[in-house]
Amino acid sequence: MTDEASNRPEASAPEARAPRGFADRRGRDLTAERRIVARVSEVYERWGFEALETPAFEYADALGKFLPDADRPNEGVFALQDDDDQWMALRYDHTAPLARFAAQNWETLPKPFRRYAYGPVWRNEKPGPGRFREFWQCDADTVGSDRPEADAEIIAMGCEGLRAAGLAAGQAVIRVSNRKLFDGLFDAGGITDPMQRLTALRAVDKYDRLGVEGVRLLLGEGRLDESGDYTKGANLPASVIGAIEAFLASAETPGLSRAGVLDAVSGAALGAAGDEALKELAAIDRALTAMGVAQDDVRFDPTIVRGLEYYTGAVFEAELLLDTKDEKGRAVRFGSIGGGGRYDDLVSRFTGQSTPATGFSFGVSRLASALRAAGRGAEDATRGPVVAIVFSEDDMQHYLDAVSELRAAGIAAELYLGRAGMKAQMKYADRRGAPAAVILGGDEIAAGQVTIKDLDAGRARAAAIADNDAWKAERPGQQTVARDQLVAVVRSIIE
C-alpha cells in the first residue's frame, strides 16, 4: 500500500465538521470576549451587583417562554429527558433562570436582589449569517423594586458598561420607551382586538426600515412592497394613526431632549396607562439627569416596542452607532447590541405573587464582533509565548532550564517539542505570535551566551528591507547576550 493510500481516511470515517450554528473560537475571539466580560463585571460590581451563576440546564416548564406542548419540548430550545422522565432544556437567556432562582430563594435573599450574570446561552433556531445557536450574553437585573429609579440605574449602568467594553461617547445609544404608551393609546382609541394591536406594534417596529410612509400604510389598510407582495394592515382609525405618527416624529426630531420627547407625545390621547407611562419616564429622566447621564447617551424613543409578550413597562434597546465594515471593506450595520426593560410578571409565574423586576442584557459575542468590524481588534490579538528553539537532544537540559527560568519570571514560554529543523521552528514561532525566540546553539552554550531574536522587530524591519542579502547581513531584531541576561532582555522586548 502506498503512503498516499495509507493516509486516506476510511469511507466510514466521520466528517470533521462543527454542527450548524456552533462555532469554534480561537485565542483572538476568546480574548476579546473575556476582556469585555472582565471590564463590564468590574463596573457592575462597583454598582453593587452580585455575581450569580445558574446551571446550563433548567427544567423546561421553568423556562416559561417555551413550554412543552408535544412529546418533545424542543421548540426554540435544546431539550432532553432526565432519568425521572422530566424534560430539561439548555437556558436560552439568563433572565428565566434568575426568575426561578429568585422564587426558589426569595425568603433568604436581600430585597431588592441585584445580580449580574454572564455565560453561554443556546437557541434552537435556524442559524444564519451572524445568528448562532450558542453565544455569550451578559445580564444585570434588579428583582423586587418597582421604582422608576431602578430602571434608570440599570440604564445608566448599561451605558457605563458599554463604555468599559470599548465603546466611546457617541458610538452607542440606549433608546428608552414604555410599553404602556401604546397600551394607553389603543385604550383611548377603542382598539381592543389583541391581533389588531399586535399588527400595529409590528408595523411600528419596522419604522427604521420602511420610514413614516411605510408604517402609515401598515397601520391603515396595508402595504404593497416592491416585489409585489401585499401585507395586510392593522386598519386603525385615522385619529390613532395620527397619534402614532406624532410618536414617530418625536423620535426623528434632532436635538430633542428626553423631556422634549415627553412633551411632544403628551398631547395625544393616551388614556390612564399612557399617562402612567409618561410619569414613569419622567421619573427615569430625572434620575438619569441626577446621575449625569448625557442626553446623547440615553434618548427617549416611543418607537421602541421590543418584547411584546414579555415586558410590562419601561423598555430599552442599545444601538451601535460605530462605523463597521466587513472583511471586504463594505459598510455593515450591527444595529441592536442589547436591550432590556421591566418585566413584573416573570417571577410571579412561580410564586403567584407580583414581583417587580427590571434588567438589561447585551450580546458579548455580538459586541466583540462589532468592535472587530470597526478595526478595534488589535488589542485582542493573541500574544503567543516565547519559543525556545531545539537543536540537539544532548542539550535538552539547557533548553528546559531557559524555559523554566522565563516561566518563573512570569513570562509565558514554551519549548518546541516537534522534530523539525531550525527554519520550520522559526516559522512555528511566527505562527504562534511569539514575541521572541530563544536560541541556544552549541556555540552559545560553550560561550555562556544566548541569542534572542526579537520577532516583532524582525517582522517590522524585514518588511522594509527588499533585498534578501541585505536582510541576511543585517539579521534584524537579533542580539547575543550573556546567558544571565536572558530574562531581562526578553522582558524588555515584551514590555
Side-chain angles (χ1 to χ4, degrees):
M1 180 182 292
T2 65
D3 289 341
E4 181 181 353
S6 64
N7 291 330
R8 188 180 301 138
E10 296 292 332
S12 60
E15 180 183 351
R17 68 198 192 281
R20 291 188 310 118
F22 295 85
D24 297 314
R25 297 176 299 159
R26 293 186 64 185
R28 183 186 68 168
D29 297 326
L30 295 174
T31 298
E33 293 183 7
R34 289 169 180 170
R35 174 181 57 80
I36 289 173
V37 167
R39 293 179 179 178
V40 174
S41 295
E42 190 276 330
V43 170
Y44 289 177
E45 290 182 10
R46 185 154 32 85
W47 283 66
F49 283 68
E50 171 190 339
L52 173 69
E53 182 174 285
T54 58
F57 274 96
E58 295 282 343
Y59 284 117
D61 59 352
L63 289 177
K65 184 178 180 182
F66 302 105
L67 294 178
D69 56 4
D71 292 337
R72 180 177 176 83
N74 62 349
E75 182 65 32
V77 297
F78 291 97
L80 58 85
Q81 200 166 19
D82 203 357
D83 55 8
D84 59 358
D85 296 331
Q86 295 194 65
W87 283 98
M88 302 188 303
L90 287 170
R91 64 185 181 220
Y92 63 86
D93 68 6
H94 292 289
T95 310
L98 168 64
R100 187 270 306 159
F101 175 85
Q104 187 176 355
N105 299 278
W106 193 242
E107 293 303 319
T108 59
L109 290 176
K111 305 174 189 65
F113 178 57
R114 300 145 65 87
R115 84 89 179 86
Y116 76 94
Y118 58 84
V121 297
W122 295 267
R123 308 272 174 95
N124 189 4
E125 300 172 338
K126 184 177 180 180
R131 181 182 292 274
F132 295 94
R133 288 170 164 170
E134 179 185 34
F135 52 94
W136 273 54
Q137 282 189 333
C138 184
D139 282 31
D141 299 78
T142 297
V143 182
S145 174
D146 62 356
R147 299 180 65 93
E149 291 80 6
D151 300 301
E153 183 181 60
I154 286 287
I155 295 167
M157 188 175 69
C159 286
E160 188 171 332
L162 292 176
R163 204 63 70 81
L167 294 175
Q171 294 180 340
V173 60
I174 296 182
R175 303 184 186 277
V176 181
S177 186
N178 193 305
R179 284 294 316 281
K180 297 174 187 176
L181 281 177
F182 277 100
D183 290 341
L185 185 68
F186 291 145
D187 290 344
I191 311 301
T192 58
D193 181 4
M195 283 307 300
Q196 190 178 17
R197 291 188 175 204
L198 186 59
T199 301
L201 290 174
R202 286 174 174 167
V204 173
D205 197 34
K206 297 175 181 177
Y207 172 61
D208 283 347
R209 183 165 56 88
L210 300 181
V212 174
E213 182 57 31
V215 173
R216 181 187 296 115
L217 292 172
L218 290 176
L219 293 174
E221 294 184 359
R223 176 179 178 271
L224 186 69
D225 64 21
E226 294 80 0
S227 67
D229 290 337
Y230 182 78
T231 302
K232 187 178 179 181
N235 284 305
L236 297 179
S239 60
V240 177
I241 294 177
I244 293 178
E245 287 180 344
F247 282 13
L248 302 181
S250 71
E252 281 289 294
T253 305
L256 200 59
S257 67
R258 293 188 289 261
V261 172
L262 299 184
D263 289 339
V265 302
S266 63
L270 296 176
D275 291 340
E276 185 178 353
L278 290 178
K279 291 179 181 178
E280 291 174 0
L281 288 172
I284 290 174
D285 179 40
R286 288 193 296 271
L288 290 173
T289 302
M291 287 184 282
V293 178
Q295 298 286 336
D296 288 340
D297 288 339
V298 177
R299 303 175 191 167
F300 285 169
D301 183 348
T303 66
I304 301 299
V305 291
R306 61 180 289 117
L308 301 178
E309 300 173 357
Y310 188 80
Y311 294 111
T312 58
V315 288
F316 13 98
E317 187 163 303
E319 179 186 355
L320 188 72
L321 304 179
L322 191 63
D323 290 334
T324 52
K325 297 180 180 179
D326 62 16
E327 295 177 352
K328 296 183 179 180
R330 298 171 299 194
V332 293
R333 182 177 181 273
F334 274 80
S336 175
I337 53 173
R342 177 160 290 280
Y343 53 97
D344 289 346
D345 297 333
L346 199 58
V347 178
S348 66
R349 292 183 54 252
F350 299 93
T351 63
Q353 300 177 349
S354 179
T355 305
T358 184
F360 174 76
S361 170
F362 72 90
V364 177
S365 306
R366 186 171 179 80
L367 180 55
S369 297
L371 290 171
R372 190 158 54 249
R376 301 271 294 281
E379 62 183 297
D380 300 318
T382 303
R383 193 61 161 160
V386 173
V387 175
I389 305 300
V390 172
F391 293 93
S392 167
E393 296 286 341
D394 296 337
D395 294 324
M396 189 61 71
Q397 185 64 56
H398 293 280
Y399 311 143
L400 290 170
D401 287 345
V403 170
S404 297
E405 189 176 335
L406 290 168
R407 290 171 180 163
I411 297 172
E414 71 164 275
L415 178 64
Y416 178 78
L417 294 176
R419 295 189 179 276
M422 169 76 168
K423 185 176 180 179
Q425 291 187 54
M426 293 303 298
K427 186 175 182 180
Y428 170 83
D430 190 50
R431 284 187 171 179
R432 290 284 279 129
V438 174
I439 300 171
L440 281 165
D443 292 341
E444 283 91 355
I445 293 173
Q449 296 177 321
V450 60
T451 296
I452 302 167
K453 190 169 182 63
D454 184 340
L455 296 179
D456 285 340
R459 294 181 193 108
R461 295 178 64 183
I465 299 175
D467 183 76
N468 192 48
D469 291 335
W471 184 88
K472 289 181 178 179
E474 188 172 336
R475 292 178 179 268
Q478 184 169 303
Q479 57 181 310
T480 299
V481 299
R483 174 63 180 80
D484 60 6
Q485 294 298 304
L486 170 65
V487 170
V489 173
V490 169
R491 179 171 282 125
S492 69
I493 290 173
I494 294 175
E495 295 177 353

